[in-house]
Amino acid sequence: MDASACGDAAWDAVACGKALTAARKVADAAYAHIEGELPAGQFVDEKRSAQEATAVVARAHALGCFRMGADRREAPVAQRDLCPTLANLTWPHWRSFRNTMTVT
């Protein structure tokens, strides 16, 4: 995830939406691979980390932050405050996900 795209980003910054979407796709793919291809009960920390990385992005998407979702359930005034906060919350979860994954 390109954190620079979301640093102090406006609630409707398209570049941040693209960065968050890319991060979510990677984490979702990692979770699906672990869940579907690896023995049950293994890589629990990796699965949890992937879920945490996608949860905040999913919330931002549901709110229509960074022009990611078509449905805006919150008023734009609320989005102006909430969306940048969600982007900032995504960064530590993404870093945790990257640090948790083992690449061999």
Side-chain angles (χ1 to χ4, degrees):
M1 179 178 135
D2 180 9
S4 65
C6 293
D8 296 323
W11 70 275
D12 60 349
V14 175
C16 183
K18 289 180 180 180
L20 293 175
T21 299
R24 182 178 182 186
K25 286 180 181 179
V26 170
D28 282 344
Y31 179 87
H33 179 73
I34 293 168
E35 185 71 14
E37 302 295 326
L38 301 175
Q42 292 186 349
F43 301 98
V44 174
D45 291 338
E46 289 82 357
K47 277 178 41 177
R48 181 177 28 250
S49 181
Q51 286 177 312
E52 290 170 354
T54 61
V56 179
V57 178
R59 181 67 178 142
H61 186 271
L63 291 173
C65 294
F66 311 112
R67 299 185 183 183
M68 289 191 296
D71 297 331
R72 289 194 167 91
R73 296 187 183 132
E74 298 288 329
V77 172
Q79 285 178 307
R80 285 186 180 99
D81 293 333
L82 185 57
C83 293
T85 300
L86 290 172
N88 288 336
L89 288 172
T90 302
W91 180 239
H93 289 295
W94 174 251
R95 286 185 55 129
S96 175
F97 167 71
R98 282 187 29 213
N99 291 333
T100 302
M101 298 306 292
T102 303
V103 179
T104 56

